[in-house]
């Protein structure tokens, strides 16, 4: 699913989970107050579980064993988190597992900090760290562009201040009711108010339109909201820009309100099959202590493979609200794998023990280290400008070094002073050093003899280094094949 569509789904579901409880009072329970009170919870312990399940038998159009195995494993995925410890709005930890179809389970522990997610998988030598701000850029996920730089660095503080305004603007869903219930939370029977609500696909557009309309009607409230948001930023210099900001935001909201039907239709999942049901369990202080939900939808991406839809279910319990809680922070002092734009799957696999479940799943079952690269040759065998296509030189098929070796799970570095290209195989550690316009090649510090060296020296074409493809493939335990009919070079690594 493309990031914009995924963002639309996340933003819409977040809205619906709030909108479902958007009326003022139901059955004597002040739902709006409950939403606002939820932001006051700074610490807690708990557990949670989320299951994603593909509906239907599914008949993927593929004869690739790894692809079929991948789909089979992901037909049902459950994330179980136990021992969730929220020490503060900016720090929590959890232990749990990911359970896949066929009984495969991957134990893990995690820490969520201010802007980083740290995960330690069972069998890994060091934790994996993801920068949340880079992984979930709000400016790309939201359906409209907003000036988000001024939101400040503490989202929990921001949410607690935003919630009163959001809560009073939320529309009322068609199905919502409250009843008394007794639930077991952390081995204790607790008397609660159960708030049940539902939304069908045909209601979604109307709810969003009404929500936006309520915001636009409350211009004074919107101005105060914007002023509060902008005060979180130290870059405003004391000047009140809220009036200007409101005039900037209003046309965007009006445009979204006018075009929400089209935007929802473009997602492909808001239709007659869309359904969201949820139960919130509130205590006498209107704090949420338990919740469960069920989401059903159809996705065009799934239907083409024979699946009828996707169902997501989840449950959550909380206890020890606002009491002293200490998170189990994962130690990264001895090293961690930080996710960057250059991080490859092989970097992660390198941290796993070969006898671990996750290594077996990724390498043996899903064969993620198995590679196939197809390069298209021109009809005359000459280099095509502004492309990375291979070309013929002195009877050798020349291929782009970085393009090929990075896809064979290697890191590539360029030294402009020495005009050297250093290629390091991530899994084996083999290091190959090429020098432009020289047939002299070093492998792990040793210079290759004449028979082992390339027939044509590395050369730069339009900023990319090219070498003989068959020679390069052999260096990294890969093979090459030529298809004369399609004029394609295929490089494979098992």
């Amino acid at each position: 699913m493309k990031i914009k569509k995924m963002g639309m789904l996340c933003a819409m579901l977040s809205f619906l989970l709030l909108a479902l409880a958007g009326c003022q009072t139901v059955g004597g329970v002040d739902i709006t107050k409950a939403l606002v009170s939820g932001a006051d919870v700074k610490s807690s312990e708990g557990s949670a579980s989320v299951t994603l399940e593909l509906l239907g038998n599914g008949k993927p159009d593929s004869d690739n064993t790894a692809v079929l195995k991948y789909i089979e494993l992901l037909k049902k995925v459950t994330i179980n988190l136990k021992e969730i410890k929220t020490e503060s709005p900016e720090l929590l930890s959890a232990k749990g597992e990911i359970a896949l179809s066929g009984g495969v389970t991957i134990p893990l522990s995690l820490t969520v900090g201010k802007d980083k997610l740290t995960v330690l998988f069972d069998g890994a030598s060091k934790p994996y760290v993801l920068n949340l701000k880079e992984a979930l850029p709000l400016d790309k996920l939201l359906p409209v562009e907003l000036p988000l730089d001024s939101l400040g660095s503490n989202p929990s503080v921001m949410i607690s201040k935003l919630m009163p305004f959001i809560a009073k603007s939320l529309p009322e869903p068609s199905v919502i009711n409250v009843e008394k219930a007794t639930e077991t939370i952390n081995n204790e029977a607790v008397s609660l108010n159960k708030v049940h609500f539902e939304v069908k696909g045909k209601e979604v557009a109307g709810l969003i339109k009404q929500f936006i309309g309520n915001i636009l009607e409350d211009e004074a409230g919107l101005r105060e909201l914007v002023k509060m948001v902008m005060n979180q930023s130290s870059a405003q210099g004391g000047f009140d820009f809220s009036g200007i900001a409101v005039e900037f935001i209003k046309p965007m909201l009006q445009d979204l309100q006018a075009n929400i039907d089209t935007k929802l239709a473009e997602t492909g999942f808001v239709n007659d099959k869309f359904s969201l049901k949820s139960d919130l369990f509130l205590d006498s202080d209107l704090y949420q202590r338990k919740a469960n939900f069920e989401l059903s939808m159809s996705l065009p991406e799934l239907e083409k493979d024979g699946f009828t839809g996707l169902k997501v279910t989840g449950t959550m319990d909380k206890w020890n609200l606002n009491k002293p809680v200490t998170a189990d922070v994962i130690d990264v002092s001895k090293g961690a794998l930080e996710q960057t734009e250059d991080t490859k799957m092989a970097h992660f696999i390198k941290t796993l023990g070969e006898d671990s479940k996750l290594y077996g799943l990724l390498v043996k079952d899903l064969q993620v280290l198995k590679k196939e690269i197809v390069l298209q040759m021109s009809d005359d065998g000459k280099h095509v400008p502004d492309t990375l296509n291979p070309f013929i030189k002195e009877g050798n098929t020349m291929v782009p070094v970085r393009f090929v070796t990075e896809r064979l799970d290697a890191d590539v570095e360029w030294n402009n002073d020495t005009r050297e290209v250093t290629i390091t195989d991530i899994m084996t550690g083999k290091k190959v050093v090429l020098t432009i316009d020289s047939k002299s090649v070093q492998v792990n510090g040793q210079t290759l003899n004449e028979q082992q060296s390339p027939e044509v020296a590395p050369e730069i074409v339009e900023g990319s280094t090219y070498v003989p493809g068959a020679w390069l493939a052999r260096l990294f335990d890969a093979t090459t094949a030529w298809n004369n009919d399609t004029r394609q070079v295929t490089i494979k690594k098992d």
Side-chain angles (χ1 to χ4, degrees):
M1 190 183 299
K2 294 181 179 179
I3 188 170
K4 196 72 176 182
K5 184 180 288 189
M6 180 187 71
M8 186 67 171
L9 173 60
C10 294
M12 186 193 68
L13 291 181
S14 299
F15 162 76
L16 288 178
L17 286 171
L18 291 171
L20 287 172
C23 45
Q24 298 297 313
T25 303
V26 178
V29 177
D30 190 334
I31 306 300
T32 300
K33 185 177 179 180
L35 289 175
V36 176
S37 298
D40 294 332
V41 177
K42 307 302 182 184
S43 64
S44 65
E45 294 185 70
S47 64
S49 178
V50 177
T51 298
L52 292 83
E53 183 177 3
L54 296 176
L55 304 177
N57 295 325
K59 295 181 180 179
D61 184 19
S62 176
D63 57 1
N64 187 307
T65 303
V67 171
L68 295 175
K69 179 68 175 179
Y70 179 80
I71 294 175
E72 184 64 30
L73 285 168
L74 295 184
K75 279 186 176 180
K76 187 174 183 180
V77 179
T78 299
I79 302 175
N80 291 313
L81 295 180
K82 301 178 180 179
E83 299 182 45
I84 300 177
K85 299 179 180 180
T86 303
E87 181 175 323
S88 71
E90 293 185 348
L91 180 62
L92 72 81
S93 66
K95 297 179 181 179
E97 65 181 16
I98 299 175
L100 307 178
S101 301
V104 179
T105 59
I106 309 297
L108 58 84
S109 57
L110 61 85
T111 301
V112 182
K114 183 177 179 179
D115 54 11
K116 289 186 177 181
L117 167 66
T118 304
V119 184
L120 181 61
F121 290 94
D122 185 52
S125 60
K126 54 186 175 182
Y128 167 81
V129 179
L130 179 67
N131 187 309
L132 296 175
K133 190 175 293 186
E134 294 178 0
L136 299 172
L138 291 179
D139 57 333
K140 293 182 180 179
L141 292 179
L142 293 176
V144 294
E145 295 181 4
L146 294 174
L148 298 173
D149 290 341
S150 61
L151 286 178
S153 59
N154 192 331
S156 60
V157 173
M158 186 63 61
I159 289 172
S160 65
K161 294 184 177 182
L162 288 174
M163 190 54 70
F165 176 78
I166 293 175
K168 71 178 182 179
S169 303
L170 289 169
E172 182 174 336
S174 59
V175 176
I176 183 167
N177 54 70
V178 176
E179 62 181 32
K180 298 292 183 180
T182 299
E183 295 288 324
T184 300
I185 300 176
N186 194 33
N187 299 318
E188 177 185 356
V190 183
S191 297
L192 302 164
N193 288 303
K194 174 184 174 183
V195 183
H196 173 79
F197 34 69
E198 302 178 11
V199 153
K200 301 294 184 182
K202 61 183 180 181
E203 302 175 65
V204 175
L207 286 170
I208 297 177
K209 287 179 181 179
Q210 187 177 343
F211 175 61
I212 296 173
N214 292 344
I215 291 176
L216 290 171
E217 288 179 6
D218 185 9
E219 185 165 333
L222 180 58
R223 181 163 181 161
E224 287 302 310
L225 173 70
V226 171
K227 186 183 297 185
M228 180 272 296
V229 169
M230 298 187 77
N231 283 342
Q232 293 291 311
S233 172
S234 60
Q236 307 308 320
F239 186 80
D240 184 4
F241 286 93
S242 60
I244 298 174
V246 167
E247 294 305 313
F248 176 78
I249 293 172
K250 282 171 61 177
M252 291 190 295
L253 291 175
Q254 291 166 344
D255 179 72
L256 178 60
Q257 185 183 40
N259 296 287
I260 192 64
D261 293 282
T262 301
K263 289 182 178 291
L264 291 177
E266 290 174 352
T267 66
F269 52 75
V270 181
N271 49 41
D272 292 340
K273 296 181 181 180
F274 181 92
S275 172
L276 177 62
K277 303 176 183 178
S278 185
D279 296 317
L280 297 181
F281 295 85
L282 309 175
D283 63 16
S284 57
D285 295 321
L286 296 182
Y287 288 142
Q288 181 178 306
R289 300 293 305 278
K290 185 182 181 75
N292 55 56
F293 72 91
E294 178 182 304
L295 168 68
S296 298
M297 68 176 76
S298 63
L299 293 172
E301 292 92 336
L302 298 176
E303 290 180 347
K304 67 182 181 181
D305 286 326
F307 295 102
T308 58
L310 172 69
K311 182 169 73 172
V312 185
T313 56
T315 183
M316 177 277 295
D317 292 341
K318 280 187 179 181
W319 59 90
N320 288 343
L321 275 64
N322 286 329
K323 294 183 178 180
V325 175
T326 302
D328 298 321
V329 179
I330 296 174
D331 183 12
V332 296
S333 62
K334 297 181 180 180
L337 175 63
E338 295 260 2
Q339 176 69 43
T340 69
E341 60 181 11
D342 297 321
T343 303
K344 304 177 182 64
M345 176 64 76
H347 289 113
F348 175 68
I349 293 175
K350 186 67 175 177
T351 70
L352 301 175
E354 293 187 9
D355 57 348
S356 68
K357 288 184 178 180
L358 189 51
Y359 182 94
L361 173 67
L362 295 174
V363 177
K364 298 174 183 177
D365 294 335
L366 299 181
Q367 302 175 15
V368 297
L369 296 181
K370 187 176 182 179
K371 306 295 179 179
E372 181 173 318
I373 307 165
V374 179
L375 302 170
Q376 184 66 52
M377 179 84 73
S378 64
D379 290 338
D380 59 8
K382 296 181 180 180
H383 175 69
V384 179
D386 300 320
T387 74
L388 291 174
N389 290 17
F391 59 89
I392 301 295
K393 182 174 183 179
E394 299 178 18
N396 288 269
T397 299
M398 306 291 283
V399 300
V401 171
R402 182 180 293 275
F403 181 86
V404 170
T405 56
E406 285 188 340
R407 282 155 184 77
L408 294 177
D409 289 327
D411 290 326
V412 182
E413 297 178 2
W414 164 251
N415 187 320
N416 193 54
D417 294 332
T418 60
R419 294 177 64 79
E420 290 179 340
V421 179
T422 300
I423 311 165
T424 305
D425 188 304
I426 296 169
M427 295 303 298
T428 67
K430 176 189 282 188
K431 182 173 290 187
V432 178
V433 180
L434 311 174
T435 303
I436 302 302
D437 298 327
S438 172
K439 294 183 181 181
S440 178
V441 177
Q442 286 192 339
V443 177
N444 294 334
Q446 301 296 317
T447 302
L448 297 183
N449 59 39
E450 186 176 350
Q451 288 73 31
Q452 296 170 323
S453 300
E455 294 183 13
V456 179
E459 64 177 90
I460 295 178
V461 179
E462 292 186 342
S464 295
T465 301
Y466 282 76
V467 296
W471 174 83
L472 183 66
R474 286 195 299 272
L475 271 183
F476 292 93
D477 301 316
T479 61
T480 56
W482 167 254
N483 186 318
N484 195 54
D485 293 332
T486 62
R487 299 193 63 76
Q488 290 179 334
V489 180
T490 301
I491 300 174
K492 289 185 178 182
K493 185 176 183 179
D494 294 326

